[in-house]
Amino acid sequence: MNKKITIYSTPACPYCKKAKAYLQGKGIAYTDIDVSQDETAQKEMMEKSGTISVPVIDIGGRVIAGFDKDKIEIENEYPHVTFMTGINNIYYIFFKKKYLYYYLLGE
C-alpha cells in the first residue's frame, strides 16, 4: 500500500538526492518541497520533525528525519504500523496489540 509521501529537501543536500533517487528507482510517487526557497514549508518541516536538517520524509503522517531506506520501505508498505523502533538492522514493528519482529540484512 502506497501512502502519500512528501520530502522536505534542499537542492545542495546529497542525502536528499539519494532519497529522491531511491523513491524514483522504486517507482514511488512523492512531492518534493524545497525548504531553502519556502520559509513556511521550512517551519512546517521543523514542527513535524523537530529538526532543521534535511531530508525530512513524511510518509502518510509518519516522519523520518534523514534518509533511511529500511524505514521508508516499512512505513510505505505497512499501513497499520502504530510504532516502530530499531537498532543494528533489527526492527520491532507494532500493529495495535500485535507485533512483528523484522530483521533487515545490512548491505
Side-chain angles (χ1 to χ4, degrees):
M1 170 182 230
N2 289 337
K3 301 175 184 177
K4 181 182 176 199
I5 298 177
T6 303
I7 299 179
Y8 297 89
S9 67
T10 63
C13 166
Y15 289 103
C16 299
K17 292 175 185 175
K18 287 181 182 184
K20 291 185 267 189
Y22 177 75
L23 291 172
Q24 289 169 356
K26 292 281 198 174
I28 299 172
Y30 63 90
T31 301
D32 182 28
I33 298 176
D34 181 358
V35 296
S36 70
Q37 301 295 318
D38 187 340
E39 191 174 321
T40 302
Q42 188 178 64
K43 288 178 184 178
E44 178 181 292
M45 176 194 80
M46 289 169 42
E47 287 174 8
K48 286 183 177 186
S49 67
T51 184
I52 59 170
S53 299
V54 288
V56 169
I57 305 168
D58 181 334
I59 302 176
R62 304 275 300 214
V63 176
I64 300 170
F67 172 50
D68 186 324
K69 291 189 285 189
D70 298 331
K71 285 184 180 178
I72 291 169
E73 286 290 323
I74 292 166
E75 290 290 354
N76 193 48
E77 293 299 321
Y78 295 101
H80 303 294
V81 171
T82 57
F83 177 75
M84 175 178 63
T85 186
I87 187 168
N88 296 332
N89 291 329
I90 299 172
Y91 287 83
Y92 297 90
I93 307 168
F94 296 86
F95 300 89
K96 296 190 179 177
K97 294 183 179 178
K98 299 178 183 177
Y99 70 91
L100 168 69
Y101 177 77
Y102 190 75
Y103 179 71
L104 300 168
L105 297 175
E107 295 181 356

